[in-house]
Amino acid sequence: MNYKVSEEMSVMEKLGILTDAAKYDVACTSSGVDRKGSGSGMGNTVAGGICHSFSADGRCISLLKILFTNECIYDCKYCINRKSNDVVRTSFTPDEVCELTMGFYKRNYIEGLFLSSGILYNPDFTMELIYQTLYKLRREHRFQGYIHVKAIPGADPFLIQKTGLLADRMSVNLELPTAEGLSRLAPNKHRKNILAPMRQIQNGIKSSKNEIVLYKNAPRFVPAGQSTQLIVGATPENDYQLMTVAENLYEKFELKRVFYSAFVNVNEDKELPALPGGPPLLREHRLYQADWLLRFYGFKAGELLSEARPNFNILLDPKADWALRHLEMFPVEVNRADYQLLLRIPGIGVKSAQRIVMARRSSFLSFPDLKKIGVVLKRALYFITCNGKMMYNTKIEEDYITRNLLTVKEKLPFDKDGITYKQLSLFDDVGFTMQPNIIDTHKAVLGQM
Ligand code: SF4
């Protein structure tokens, strides 16, 4: 297949452009998949082990995160790579992506690849290039590390199927929560073209799991599941609408993760909102906290928010906020409460709830025991009793508890300059006083340093 690439650019120049172009896609963390090294290939993937290096703001940093190309036939208003923008365009070839991935992997810079792309010529053409890249990596270079790849909406399902048999995770970005938002800001994209590959991947994962039960060596299709990304703040939807969409995606499409990306205004366009305070990072943070509550704590979106109360409390995390609105349920006796109720107590997480259930089989728990177990007592003390007694003689009253919780400083995932959306680049200074220049980096990748 022939296609035009920027011949005059070196691979490292392309890398600089195409890693930078990928930084607004946050859907890149991996989780829970095993791929044993065969002994003849390179690398392996370990459940709970790979790609769990995160930057301070919780983003995954150990994948080589690139776009295949920043050329695009579409004109999404929020995107730096939209066709109407005058930016330097380039594309990798499949061989170049393989060379970079293997080079960085061998030098232990990365544990896998996150490959996204603009749309070059048409969705099929782009998906075919992505497939070729993965095929070469897996079959020719025998790369067995982690690969997260985008499924291109509108591409032939056969190409998506073939690619899914080589990838660990796939994602299709929904980007905007409603069809109206999509048609206003991304007029070339259609919700049904996004949901169709999502459904295909969901069905492929299910059949693959069934086949593996019957035949141990059956090929695995997207074993680490699928994810998506929602942009927060580009369109006027409230938190309740966003959480409801996320809940539906988890329930109806069995997604592993929904990622939330605070809208960063990189284009001047009258359709885009002006955000004088910068990207809505605190809102993004609250959505991640609430998403955690949906996935691991048994909460429903409708319990956390409602039409009448459609946005999260900026001052309090969603779980504390929920507890304060349900003070009639508290205090809870930790020696008797069931697991689900323990999970609803501020200051008690999944691990500490599990440990409480285990530990109380052999003895009654006291406050010092809870502290040892990992309960954050300065938050939990307003909501629990041990053996019928509260830790202090405290009021169970909304204003009083709110004031006291606010004095317990919440650790927000912000840099000191308030910016979290910056993707760590392969060239970022991570503690060294000097950054390698692009020539040094190229030499290092090619093993000349
Ligand atoms: S499809 Fe839209 S969001 Fe994706 S690269 Fe093209 S313009 Fe950007």
Side-chain angles (χ1 to χ4, degrees), residues 72 74 76 78-79 82 118-119 189:
C72 195
Y74 292 167
C76 307
Y78 47 81
C79 178
R82 63 181 184 173
I119 315 290
K189 289 184 174 173

PDB file of all heavy atoms in Angstrom, residues 72 74 76 78-79 82 118-119 189, ligand 1:
ATOM      1  N   CYS A  72      -5.361  14.719   9.299  1.00  0.00           N
ATOM      2  CA  CYS A  72      -6.734  14.300   9.556  1.00  0.00           C
ATOM      3  C   CYS A  72      -7.685  14.928   8.546  1.00  0.00           C
ATOM      4  O   CYS A  72      -7.562  16.106   8.210  1.00  0.00           O
ATOM      5  CB  CYS A  72      -7.156  14.670  10.978  1.00  0.00           C
ATOM      6  SG  CYS A  72      -8.658  13.778  11.451  1.00  0.00           S
ATOM      7  N   TYR A  74     -10.853  15.121   9.167  1.00  0.00           N
ATOM      8  CA  TYR A  74     -11.980  15.669   9.931  1.00  0.00           C
ATOM      9  C   TYR A  74     -11.632  17.021  10.526  1.00  0.00           C
ATOM     10  O   TYR A  74     -10.465  17.397  10.608  1.00  0.00           O
ATOM     11  CB  TYR A  74     -12.393  14.712  11.044  1.00  0.00           C
ATOM     12  CG  TYR A  74     -13.021  13.422  10.565  1.00  0.00           C
ATOM     13  CD1 TYR A  74     -13.201  12.359  11.453  1.00  0.00           C
ATOM     14  CD2 TYR A  74     -13.425  13.248   9.247  1.00  0.00           C
ATOM     15  CE1 TYR A  74     -13.771  11.162  11.030  1.00  0.00           C
ATOM     16  CE2 TYR A  74     -13.996  12.058   8.824  1.00  0.00           C
ATOM     17  CZ  TYR A  74     -14.164  11.024   9.710  1.00  0.00           C
ATOM     18  OH  TYR A  74     -14.716   9.844   9.296  1.00  0.00           O
ATOM     19  N   CYS A  76     -12.779  18.405  13.804  1.00  0.00           N
ATOM     20  CA  CYS A  76     -13.372  18.534  15.141  1.00  0.00           C
ATOM     21  C   CYS A  76     -12.886  19.854  15.752  1.00  0.00           C
ATOM     22  O   CYS A  76     -11.686  20.110  15.801  1.00  0.00           O
ATOM     23  CB  CYS A  76     -12.963  17.359  16.014  1.00  0.00           C
ATOM     24  SG  CYS A  76     -13.320  15.767  15.240  1.00  0.00           S
ATOM     25  N   TYR A  78     -12.565  21.086  18.656  1.00  0.00           N
ATOM     26  CA  TYR A  78     -11.748  21.123  19.867  1.00  0.00           C
ATOM     27  C   TYR A  78     -10.338  20.571  19.648  1.00  0.00           C
ATOM     28  O   TYR A  78      -9.539  20.550  20.563  1.00  0.00           O
ATOM     29  CB  TYR A  78     -12.427  20.291  20.976  1.00  0.00           C
ATOM     30  CG  TYR A  78     -12.892  18.940  20.499  1.00  0.00           C
ATOM     31  CD1 TYR A  78     -11.997  17.880  20.396  1.00  0.00           C
ATOM     32  CD2 TYR A  78     -14.210  18.733  20.105  1.00  0.00           C
ATOM     33  CE1 TYR A  78     -12.413  16.650  19.921  1.00  0.00           C
ATOM     34  CE2 TYR A  78     -14.635  17.501  19.628  1.00  0.00           C
ATOM     35  CZ  TYR A  78     -13.736  16.464  19.541  1.00  0.00           C
ATOM     36  OH  TYR A  78     -14.140  15.245  19.065  1.00  0.00           O
ATOM     37  N   CYS A  79     -10.022  20.109  18.447  1.00  0.00           N
ATOM     38  CA  CYS A  79      -8.798  19.315  18.258  1.00  0.00           C
ATOM     39  C   CYS A  79      -7.698  20.116  17.573  1.00  0.00           C
ATOM     40  O   CYS A  79      -7.923  20.760  16.552  1.00  0.00           O
ATOM     41  CB  CYS A  79      -9.128  18.073  17.433  1.00  0.00           C
ATOM     42  SG  CYS A  79      -7.683  17.062  17.099  1.00  0.00           S
ATOM     43  N   ARG A  82      -7.146  19.183  13.823  1.00  0.00           N
ATOM     44  CA  ARG A  82      -8.239  19.284  12.837  1.00  0.00           C
ATOM     45  C   ARG A  82      -7.689  19.825  11.514  1.00  0.00           C
ATOM     46  O   ARG A  82      -6.705  20.568  11.489  1.00  0.00           O
ATOM     47  CB  ARG A  82      -9.346  20.192  13.372  1.00  0.00           C
ATOM     48  CG  ARG A  82      -8.912  21.609  13.600  1.00  0.00           C
ATOM     49  CD  ARG A  82     -10.047  22.429  14.145  1.00  0.00           C
ATOM     50  NE  ARG A  82      -9.655  23.825  14.286  1.00  0.00           N
ATOM     51  CZ  ARG A  82     -10.483  24.787  14.607  1.00  0.00           C
ATOM     52  NH1 ARG A  82     -11.749  24.533  14.828  1.00  0.00           N
ATOM     53  NH2 ARG A  82     -10.063  26.024  14.729  1.00  0.00           N
ATOM     54  N   GLY A 118      -4.835  10.346  13.822  1.00  0.00           N
ATOM     55  CA  GLY A 118      -5.788  11.134  13.045  1.00  0.00           C
ATOM     56  C   GLY A 118      -6.271  10.249  11.886  1.00  0.00           C
ATOM     57  O   GLY A 118      -5.796   9.128  11.708  1.00  0.00           O
ATOM     58  N   ILE A 119      -7.193  10.773  11.103  1.00  0.00           N
ATOM     59  CA  ILE A 119      -7.734   9.963  10.009  1.00  0.00           C
ATOM     60  C   ILE A 119      -7.019  10.342   8.719  1.00  0.00           C
ATOM     61  O   ILE A 119      -7.190  11.444   8.202  1.00  0.00           O
ATOM     62  CB  ILE A 119      -9.260  10.191   9.825  1.00  0.00           C
ATOM     63  CG1 ILE A 119      -9.987  10.187  11.167  1.00  0.00           C
ATOM     64  CG2 ILE A 119      -9.850   9.170   8.851  1.00  0.00           C
ATOM     65  CD1 ILE A 119     -10.069   8.880  11.854  1.00  0.00           C
ATOM     66  N   LYS A 189     -18.195  13.361  12.797  1.00  0.00           N
ATOM     67  CA  LYS A 189     -18.335  12.127  13.588  1.00  0.00           C
ATOM     68  C   LYS A 189     -19.799  11.863  13.882  1.00  0.00           C
ATOM     69  O   LYS A 189     -20.567  12.809  14.086  1.00  0.00           O
ATOM     70  CB  LYS A 189     -17.577  12.259  14.905  1.00  0.00           C
ATOM     71  CG  LYS A 189     -16.068  12.243  14.734  1.00  0.00           C
ATOM     72  CD  LYS A 189     -15.394  12.286  16.081  1.00  0.00           C
ATOM     73  CE  LYS A 189     -13.897  12.124  15.939  1.00  0.00           C
ATOM     74  NZ  LYS A 189     -13.214  12.326  17.210  1.00  0.00           N
TER      75      LYS A 189
HETATM   76  S1  SF4 B   1     -10.885  12.801  14.131  1.00  0.00           S
HETATM   77 FE1  SF4 B   1     -11.259  14.783  15.124  1.00  0.00          FE
HETATM   78  S2  SF4 B   1     -10.343  14.515  17.163  1.00  0.00           S
HETATM   79 FE2  SF4 B   1      -9.489  12.876  15.886  1.00  0.00          FE
HETATM   80  S3  SF4 B   1      -7.592  13.738  15.069  1.00  0.00           S
HETATM   81 FE3  SF4 B   1      -9.189  14.159  13.557  1.00  0.00          FE
HETATM   82  S4  SF4 B   1      -9.913  16.233  14.053  1.00  0.00           S
HETATM   83 FE4  SF4 B   1      -8.797  15.451  15.827  1.00  0.00          FE
END
